[in-house]
């Protein structure tokens, strides 16, 4: 690492190009990852670490453990896939101590392009004993280099995009850190910091730890700052709200009875209970803040429909905001006829409408003719003004940032609308209270009658051809299937490539079927068109990334195949499984996994054995334990970047942050005297765009 200039604190928020011109073309590479300033680079944290500080001789590899070794590639062989068998790439490895081993990768992952006989590489991955030799299964690898940031130490692994390589990014971040860390000021007073490390030290250790043991304290500190930023925002919102009253929406008992009677089914006991609690809340001047949680398909939308109709009957406007265009459309398609039957007019609003149509809707809202508005986050755009908003419903609320929810609540023109948030990802209660504080919770545990349990099976890749035959048989019966491709944490582009490859492979294996493909790198309209075609029965199989996770409703889909299932969070698997079993057909969820470690198997067994999202969430919490430093994707919670509320230590930090935020905001609501904290809050402002329906 060459030593370079030292930046001043003010430089941290200026363009990298200006303050570190010596990075030259590196600036453009950083920009492709969304990094414009040194501060953004400091907070571009690794999602995982490879501990290469302990390299093992091949002779002493331990089966069934994740390990690293420094090896020579003696030969690389590609075994083409044929029929239903995926392609395999096999490398023969040896090391200086005379040991040998093999590495194997399945499917078209283009490994062979990065690997040649004669290469010296560090290989890292799970080792299995195959007969007399050890085999790395789908390991990570990187060429042996001279740079200390890549080898023979604990190495950070970052999310990539825009064609920037891991190695290049690591080098760039090392240089930015070198120049920037001394300019980092600590926003916490010593007493507030307590036993946590200084911010600059934490940032250094989070990127380039001297020792694996330095990582956890560093991430704790960064997690605390993130949680504090969130809690400051929440504390300010609470304070501002204390001054606002909500409209009293009194619902006459016969009015609500009429609304409930107009539904095409009888409410379950839990649904009726939720409706009652909401009616009580609506009649009060204290703004309702209620979370309605219930498993996929438990009938939350029906409860929301009753609430919307009640608000309108009492003379108020109401809005429902959903995280994606397709979900918003589905809600509108389902709710509008129901509401029309009650004489209530529901409009649809999203960024995809023509400007003229948007203006029409804006006018209808402004003039009060639109009584219910259902849409994407287009409903919180500035041009939308509700003269008398009484109720706001947010679907899949955890997909929105705190700022977006606040913007929705600010649409009440002088009054605070009542807020009902829906979520299918159950949040353990302690967690919800820590994160949201003053939220009431209604829970639907009972599913509507007549639901068939989804049969869940765990299979390994050897069963792939049988599984494909099963998909074909279901298609012959007129059913449809989802195929979810393995989670690739490194980058969305790799994930998309893997989805494309899988769609191609299936098209060859099952030529008689109509196969669709959706992933996050497609344009939103292209993705929506494919989803709509699938929902309309024009595709037999939909190959997808987790973009299908959130609530789409295709009652005719009867099978979901999830590949490399061990890579997903349990709540996520449960959500994905909820894409099937929504109609009258018997449905199946196949968890495909070659994982052999007992923990992975136990986790998958939890999903196989239970259809209860709450039970699964609790078990997930239990099984994640402390080993999981950065956590996988958060679910059911605001999108946190560093903190993991599945981590008991971080949960304790969240409580500490909440207490501190209350105290700080009590004394200084605008943080005028705490610019460091205001800065922190800005740094962690939620990412407002989910890449959809802007
Ligand atoms: P969620 O939003 O909780 O995932 P939905 O509200 O979309 O669930 O409901 C799933 C399906 O169940 C919908 O087709 C809905 O019409 C139906 N449904 C909801 N409540 C009931 C009920 N009480 N009885 C029968 N069917 C119901
Ligand atoms: Mg729903």
């Amino acid at each position: 690492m060459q030593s370079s200039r030292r930046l001043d604190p003010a430089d941290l928020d200026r363009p990298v190009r200006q303050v570190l011109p010596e990075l030259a073309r590196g600036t453009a590479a950083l920009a492709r990852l969304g990094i414009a300033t040194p501060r953004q680079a400091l907070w571009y944290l690794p999602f995982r670490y490879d501990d290469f500080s302990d390299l093992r001789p091949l002779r002493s590899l331990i089966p069934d453990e994740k390990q690293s070794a420094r090896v020579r590639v003696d030969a690389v062989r590609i075994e083409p896939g044929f029929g239903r068998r995926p392609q395999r790439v096999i490398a023969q490895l040896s090391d200086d101590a005379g040991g040998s081993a093999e590495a194997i990768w399945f499917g078209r992952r283009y490994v062979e392009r990065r690997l040649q006989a004669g290469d010296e590489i560090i290989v890292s991955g799970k080792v299995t004993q195959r007969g007399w030799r050890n085999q790395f299964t789908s390991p990570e690898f990187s060429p042996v280099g001279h740079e200390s940031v890549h080898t023979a130490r604990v190495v950070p692994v970052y999310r990539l995009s825009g064609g920037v390589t891991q190695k290049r990014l690591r080098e760039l971040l090392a240089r930015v850190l070198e120049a920037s860390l001394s300019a980092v000021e600590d926003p916490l007073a010593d007493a507030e910091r307590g036993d946590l490390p200084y911010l600059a030290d934490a940032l250094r250790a989070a990127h380039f730890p001297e020792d694996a043991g330095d990582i956890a304290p560093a991430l704790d500190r960064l997690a605390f700052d993130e949680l504090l930023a969130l809690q400051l925002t929440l504390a300010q919102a609470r304070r501002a709200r204390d001054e606002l009253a909500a409209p009293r929406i009194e619902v006459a008992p016969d009015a609500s009875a009429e609304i409930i009677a107009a539904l095409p089914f009888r409410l379950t006991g839990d649904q009726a209970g939720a409706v009652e609690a909401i009616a009580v809340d609506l009649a009060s001047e204290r703004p309702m803040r209620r979370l309605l949680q219930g498993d996929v398909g438990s009938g939350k939308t029906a409860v929301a429909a009753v609430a919307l109709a009640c608000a309108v009957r009492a003379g108020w406007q109401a809005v429902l905001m959903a995280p994606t265009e397709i979900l918003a459309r589905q809600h509108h398609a389902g709710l509008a006829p129901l509401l029309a039957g009650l004489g209530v007019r529901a409009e649809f609003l999203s960024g995809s409408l023509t400007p003229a149509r948007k203006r029409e809707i804006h006018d209808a809202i402004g003039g009060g003719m639109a009584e219910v508005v259902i849409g994407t986050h287009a409903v919180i755009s500035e041009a939308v003004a509700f003269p008398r908003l009484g109720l706001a419903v947010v679907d899949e609320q955890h997909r929105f940032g705190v700022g977006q929810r606040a913007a929705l609540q600010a649409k009440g023109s002088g009054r605070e609308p009542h807020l009902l948030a829906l979520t299918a990802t159950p949040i353990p209660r302690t967690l919800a209270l820590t994160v949201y504080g003053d939220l009431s919770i209604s829970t639907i545990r009972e599913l509507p009658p007549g639901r068939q349990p989804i049969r869940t099976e765990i299979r390994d890749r050897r069963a792939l051809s049988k599984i494909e035959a099963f998909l074909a048989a279901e298609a012959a019966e007129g059913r449809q299937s989802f195929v979810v491709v393995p989670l690739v944490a490194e980058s969305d582009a790799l994930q998309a490539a893997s989805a494309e490859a899988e769609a191609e492979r299936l098209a060859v294996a099952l030529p008689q079927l109509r196969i669709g493909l959706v992933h996050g790198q497609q344009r939103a309209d292209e993705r929506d068109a494919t989803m709509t075609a699938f929902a309309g029965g024009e595709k037999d199989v939909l190959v997808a990334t987790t973009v299908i996770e959130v609530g789409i409703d295709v009652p005719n889909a009867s099978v979901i195949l999830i590949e490399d299932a061990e890579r997903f969070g349990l709540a996520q698997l449960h959500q994905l499984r909820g894409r099937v079993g929504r109609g009258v057909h018997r449905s199946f969820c196949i968890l495909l996994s070659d994982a052999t470690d007992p923990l992975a198997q136990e986790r998958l067994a939890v999903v196989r054995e239970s259809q209860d999202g709450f039970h699964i969430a609790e078990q997930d919490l239990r099984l994640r334990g402390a080993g999981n430093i950065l956590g996988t994707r958060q679910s059911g919670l605001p999108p946190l970047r560093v903190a993991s509320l599945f981590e008991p230590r971080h949960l304790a930090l969240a409580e500490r942050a909440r207490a501190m935020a209350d105290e700080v905001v009590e004394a200084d609501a605008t943080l005028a005297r705490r610019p460091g904290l205001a800065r922190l809050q800005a740094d962690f402002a939620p990412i407002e765009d989910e890449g959809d329906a802007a």
Side-chain angles (χ1 to χ4, degrees), residues 265-268 271 295-302 448-449 451 582:
F265 41 71
R266 273 180 61 109
L267 292 181
T268 63
Q271 283 174 318
D295 237 332
V296 277
S298 61
K300 298 181 293 295
T301 313
R451 280 295 152 72
R582 299 174 79 86

Side-chain angles (χ1 to χ4, degrees), residues 17 36 40 57 69 77 81 96 114 148 185 267 273 294 321 388 419 457 481 495 499 505 529 536 562 639 665 680:
R17 164 174 41 83
Q40 287 167 348
R77 181 169 94 243
D96 290 342
R114 295 195 286 137
S148 67
E185 293 168 319
L267 292 181
M321 177 165 82
R388 46 193 178 89
L419 180 75
E457 302 282 357
S481 306
Q495 174 99 58
R505 194 188 67 76
I562 305 172
V665 168
L680 193 68

Side-chain angles (χ1 to χ4, degrees), residues 325 348-355 358 376-379 693-694:
E325 169 102 17
F348 175 76
L349 179 61
S350 87
S352 69
L353 300 181
T354 63
K358 261 187 254 181
T376 61
H377 57 255
V379 303

Side-chain angles (χ1 to χ4, degrees), residues 45 51 119 180 267:
L45 298 171
D51 193 349
D119 285 354
S180 311
L267 292 181

Side-chain angles (χ1 to χ4, degrees), residues 569-590:
L570 298 192
Q572 208 176 4
L573 289 175
H574 181 63
Q575 278 265 11
L576 286 166
R577 178 169 59 182
R579 296 308 104 225
V580 300
R582 299 174 79 86
V584 294
H585 312 290
R586 99 212 127 90
S587 299
F588 302 86
C589 170
I590 305 165

Side-chain angles (χ1 to χ4, degrees), residues 127-152:
V127 174
T128 328
Q129 195 146 22
R130 292 261 177 255
W132 51 273
R133 69 175 356 177
N134 282 317
Q135 189 181 69
F136 285 92
T137 310
S138 302
E140 311 277 338
F141 61 94
S142 60
V144 170
H146 306 290
E147 302 81 355
S148 67
V149 293
H150 303 300
T151 51

